[in-house]
Amino acid sequence: MGSEIHMPGPECLIKNTNGRLLVNPKALEILSAIREPVVVVAIVGLYRTGKSYLMNKLAGKNKGFSLGSTVQSHTKGIWMWCVPHPKRPNRALVLLDTEGLGDVEKGDNQNDSWIFALAILLSSTFVYNSMGTINQQAMDQLHYVTELTDKIRARSSPDVDGVEDSADFVSFFPDFVWTLRDFSLNLEADGQSITADEYLENSLKLKKGTSPKDKTFNLPRLCIRKFFPKKKCFIFDRPTHRKKLNQLEELCDDELDSEFVQQAAVFCSYIFSNSKTKTLSGGIKVDGPRLETLVQTYVDAINSGDLPCMENAVLALAEIENSAAVKKAIAHYDQQMGEKLQLPTETLQELLDLHRASEKEAIEVFMKSSFKDIDQLFQKDLAAQLDKKRDDFCNQNLKVSSDRCSALLKDIFSPLEEDVKQGIYSKSGGYRLFIEKMQELKKKYLQEPRKGIQAEEILQEYLKSKESVTDAILQTDQTLSEKEKLIEVERVKAESAQAAAKMLEEMQIKNQQMMEQKEKSYQEHVKQLTEKMERDRAQLLEEQERTLALKLQEQSRLLQEGFQEENKRLQNEIQNLQRKMEKPRNPCVIS
């Protein structure tokens, strides 16, 4: 069953205080309670561009994230609002509203760069919000995207040349959505109507040339194209008259521009239907506690002067979750054994079969919850703990069986022992009566249920402890000849030797059963590990194929643009040539 989310309003997730980023423990506590996978939508953009209004709409509210009504940046740090996903009941929607970029009061762009990078790292859909059209000024304001490779690392150890391929980033970067506010142009190109997405693609086309100006023009466009293969664009009319903008929270939809209301609805519908679950490398779906760990890991890295590293964050997450997976598996094992095991068991095999079934389920529980278990350290820890649990249960089984058997023998044989003390068997014919009584009581003992695996051993120990008493009664019995007494002594010795041989055989069988059980445990661990590795390998291959497809798609688009440019150039040359050919020639003048 999923966790219920009761968050009436946003909570600051990451505070930006005096140039230092601090994580809010209260916000982390909220995340830790969200057990469903999360869809994380983050929005960034220049201050006072209406980011918070869109996030409130996604939360299904008019109020929540602070809109502010002045030229000052109103949101500081990163604020979070967790709400139930309106279209996917088994998902939680986490909305992240960031402080406005480019606030002159801060005087330092470094924090803006980190806020931008954190929004990228934490989100599954990244919304960039800006005013007006996509022109060079808008691109210049998006310079943070060109700094991402200086702010984020995909792997803890890049290639030998120290360079990370853009595919490393593509594999975990979010989808990119550009929202253009107060858009006033007609969506047309070469006299033809185009969509907002086509407008974005056209705006991201590169210039041919290698001059510094061309490189400056191309760099942000190239970064967006490389890092964000999946892109979407939405345009918004001005919501209302400028004087009413500071009352936006109070205005109903019918008081706003109808086109704007429709555009906002389309935007929200797209986000709800298309935003992916936040997923890490290896297909690991992020839930609340995992997002909590990512937040803490990234902010700690930034504050320590390191670059936030995706691989390190996943390993830190794996450390926490694999440790929890071991505890969860052991708890499941304990529960199963507690419910099904009744000590003492009649045979060792009965206990080992029960252990094996519970162990198999425990390993399955671990495999489902664990990931990135480097060198199987946590699985080995689980195996060691399960082995110890098995040995502890075997020892408990021995003790419970021994205690029960000892108590039974005392209860059954104590009347006989009292009779021996009273000298009842110290008379002629007493030995035969004593042996008959002993056989009767042994039979009674053996018929008692649930004695466990120590039944024979404890009985033989008891009988051996009474050999001197038996021999004394034998020697005092005057009705037996010396020869009969010798025969009886030999018979008792033979019985004792036979019992010892039987116990030795049983001990060997038990040792063999323990050895077989250890081998079966090892094979079960190997089997489930192999199956998990095959699943992980298939998932990794799928990820790599998806990343490769995205890169090929982008390369194809670049080539297509190149062909289009070349085709356009050729068409212009042909037209120029045709015009020249169509011009009338001047007649020759003969003088």
Side-chain angles (χ1 to χ4, degrees):
M1 176 182 282
S3 52
E4 292 187 18
I5 303 172
H6 298 292
M7 197 172 175
E11 185 75 39
C12 185
L13 174 64
I14 300 171
K15 299 177 182 178
N16 185 4
T17 307
N18 298 323
R20 184 173 176 81
L21 302 176
L22 300 172
V23 178
N24 179 11
K26 186 178 177 182
L28 294 185
E29 189 178 334
I30 292 168
L31 285 177
S32 68
I34 300 174
R35 296 297 165 181
E36 302 95 338
V38 293
V39 175
V40 186
V41 181
I43 191 166
V44 301
L46 296 182
Y47 71 105
R48 306 305 321 128
T49 54
K51 302 185 310 299
S52 301
Y53 177 84
L54 286 182
M55 298 306 269
N56 287 340
K57 280 297 179 186
L58 289 175
K61 306 289 184 183
N62 280 344
K63 295 182 180 180
F65 290 112
S66 178
L67 301 187
S69 57
T70 68
V71 294
Q72 292 179 309
S73 176
H74 216 253
T75 305
K76 297 294 182 184
I78 298 179
W79 284 69
M80 173 187 80
W81 199 351
C82 305
V83 297
H85 198 289
K87 289 193 177 181
R88 301 167 73 184
N90 60 339
R91 294 288 186 271
L93 180 61
V94 178
L95 304 172
L96 301 180
D97 188 18
T98 62
E99 69 177 75
L101 306 176
D103 182 5
V104 292
E105 290 185 3
K106 286 186 288 192
D108 182 11
N109 284 338
Q110 185 75 325
N111 265 39
D112 283 351
S113 296
W114 285 128
I115 294 291
F116 190 93
L118 283 170
I120 293 278
L121 287 167
L122 297 175
S123 65
S124 51
T125 295
F126 176 84
V127 181
Y128 181 70
N129 191 72
S130 68
M131 301 294 288
T133 60
I134 302 178
N135 52 24
Q136 191 54 39
Q137 182 183 2
M139 283 294 174
D140 291 342
Q141 290 167 347
L142 195 49
H143 65 88
Y144 306 100
V145 77
T146 67
E147 302 167 5
L148 284 176
T149 52
D150 298 325
K151 296 294 180 185
I152 296 173
R153 281 160 53 202
R155 293 172 291 173
S156 55
S157 302
D159 294 336
V160 288
D161 57 4
V163 176
E164 289 191 285
D165 189 72
S166 62
D168 295 326
F169 292 97
V170 168
S171 63
F172 68 85
F173 267 25
D175 294 340
F176 182 86
V177 176
W178 197 327
T179 52
L180 297 167
R181 311 298 290 276
D182 295 1
F183 189 83
S184 57
L185 296 181
N186 291 326
L187 283 176
E188 290 182 356
D190 299 325
Q192 299 291 322
S193 294
I194 58 172
T195 65
D197 292 339
E198 288 169 335
Y199 173 70
L200 174 59
E201 287 299 332
N202 290 339
S203 301
L204 294 177
K205 285 183 178 179
L206 306 179
K207 276 187 177 179
K208 293 201 168 204
T210 56
S211 69
K213 189 176 180 180
D214 291 332
K215 288 181 180 179
T216 301
F217 179 91
N218 288 338
L219 183 58
R221 290 168 172 82
L222 195 58
C223 288
I224 292 172
R225 297 180 69 146
K226 276 191 173 183
F227 296 151
F228 307 103
K230 187 174 180 182
K231 299 175 281 293
K232 186 74 179 170
C233 182
F234 291 93
I235 62 169
F236 296 85
D237 290 356
R238 184 185 285 269
T240 186
H241 298 299
R242 188 177 64 82
K243 291 182 179 180
K244 287 188 177 181
L245 288 176
N246 61 349
Q247 306 168 29
L248 211 51
E249 290 179 345
E250 313 299 332
L251 298 178
C252 300
D253 284 352
D254 57 8
E255 297 177 88
L256 299 174
D257 180 83
S258 60
E259 283 288 325
F260 174 82
V261 172
Q262 176 62 22
Q263 290 159 348
V266 170
F267 166 77
C268 291
S269 178
Y270 174 85
I271 295 295
F272 295 149
S273 300
N274 294 279
S275 289
K276 303 177 297 189
T277 299
K278 176 67 178 172
T279 306
L280 303 177
S281 175
I284 303 155
K285 287 184 171 28
V286 175
D287 57 12
R290 287 175 175 173
L291 186 59
E292 172 195 5
T293 301
L294 292 178
V295 170
Q296 191 69 67
T297 304
Y298 291 142
V299 172
D300 286 348
I302 291 169
N303 286 335
S304 65
D306 293 333
L307 298 182
C309 174
M310 187 65 191
E311 185 180 43
N312 288 346
V314 171
L315 292 177
L317 193 59
E319 185 87 14
I320 294 169
E321 296 220 2
N322 290 338
S323 179
V326 171
K327 291 178 182 177
K328 189 176 179 181
I330 291 296
H332 182 83
Y333 174 87
D334 288 343
Q335 180 188 7
Q336 292 299 305
M337 293 295 282
E339 290 175 358
K340 298 174 183 176
L341 179 62
Q342 187 177 350
L343 297 177
T345 59
E346 289 300 323
T347 63
L348 175 61
Q349 194 60 53
E350 180 186 340
L351 171 59
L352 294 180
D353 287 347
L354 204 56
H355 161 79
R356 189 184 177 200
S358 301
E359 177 188 53
K360 183 172 185 275
E361 289 187 22
I363 298 171
E364 288 172 355
V365 168
F366 171 79
M367 290 299 179
K368 285 178 183 175
S369 301
S370 68
F371 66 95
K372 298 280 184 186
D373 184 10
I374 307 298
D375 296 328
Q376 290 76 55
L377 294 179
F378 288 92
Q379 189 180 358
K380 289 173 184 175
D381 179 34
L382 173 64
Q385 289 194 48
L386 289 172
D387 285 350
K388 185 176 184 305
K389 292 275 183 182
R390 179 201 60 216
D391 293 344
D392 288 347
F393 276 122
C394 287
N395 291 332
Q396 286 178 45
N397 198 32
L398 287 171
K399 186 176 187 311
V400 172
S401 177
S402 297
D403 291 348
R404 173 159 170 72
C405 292
S406 297
L408 271 174
L409 288 170
K410 183 178 180 182
D411 185 55
I412 292 170
F413 282 85
S414 58
L416 176 63
E417 291 180 9
E418 189 60 33
D419 288 346
V420 170
K421 286 180 184 177
Q422 297 297 324
I424 291 175
Y425 298 102
S426 300
K427 61 182 182 180
S428 296
Y431 179 75
R432 198 161 300 280
L433 291 173
F434 175 76
I435 293 299
E436 288 174 356
K437 190 64 176 178
M438 283 285 284
Q439 294 298 330
E440 177 190 332
L441 295 179
K442 277 172 62 178
K443 186 177 180 181
K444 183 179 179 181
Y445 167 81
L446 293 172
Q447 287 175 342
E448 286 288 334
R450 309 283 320 161
K451 294 186 297 296
I453 60 175
Q454 290 293 88
E456 185 65 28
E457 185 172 337
I458 298 300
L459 174 62
Q460 294 305 320
E461 286 178 2
Y462 176 79
L463 295 177
K464 191 169 185 63
S465 71
K466 300 303 176 186
E467 282 181 356
S468 59
V469 174
T470 303
D471 188 58
I473 293 172
L474 174 64
Q475 298 305 324
T476 57
D477 192 335
Q478 301 300 319
T479 60
L480 296 173
S481 64
E482 289 300 318
K483 184 178 180 180
E484 287 175 321
K485 289 179 181 179
L486 286 172
I487 292 171
E488 190 61 27
V489 168
E490 290 303 319
R491 184 189 67 77
V492 170
K493 284 182 179 179
E495 278 188 2
S496 180
Q498 187 179 5
K502 184 180 177 183
M503 285 170 54
L504 180 60
E505 183 182 355
E506 287 182 356
M507 183 67 69
Q508 290 172 340
I509 291 172
K510 288 176 183 177
N511 287 337
Q512 181 64 27
Q513 289 173 337
M514 286 295 290
M515 291 297 292
E516 289 175 358
Q517 176 56 47
K518 288 178 181 179
E519 177 62 22
K520 287 175 181 175
S521 292
Y522 172 75
Q523 292 299 335
E524 185 62 38
H525 277 279
V526 170
K527 173 177 171 286
Q528 293 204 34
L529 176 61
T530 302
E531 290 173 353
K532 181 176 174 61
M533 288 176 70
E534 286 175 356
R535 289 194 300 270
D536 290 348
R537 194 177 295 113
Q539 203 158 30
L540 180 61
L541 184 61
E542 187 180 331
E543 272 185 31
Q544 289 172 340
E545 288 175 348
R546 187 167 57 247
T547 301
L548 179 61
L550 289 169
K551 287 195 73 180
L552 289 172
Q553 183 182 348
E554 185 58 35
Q555 286 177 351
S556 174
R557 192 180 289 116
L558 283 168
L559 284 170
Q560 189 177 3
E561 284 179 13
F563 286 134
Q564 287 173 350
E565 290 293 328
E566 182 65 20
N567 186 51
K568 195 172 180 181
R569 186 184 65 78
L570 288 171
Q571 288 290 341
N572 287 336
E573 287 183 6
I574 291 169
Q575 288 173 2
N576 290 335
L577 185 59
Q578 286 174 338
R579 279 195 293 270
K580 286 179 182 178
M581 292 173 66
E582 288 169 1
K583 285 183 180 179
R585 296 182 181 179
N586 292 327
C588 295
V589 178
I590 301 174
S591 54

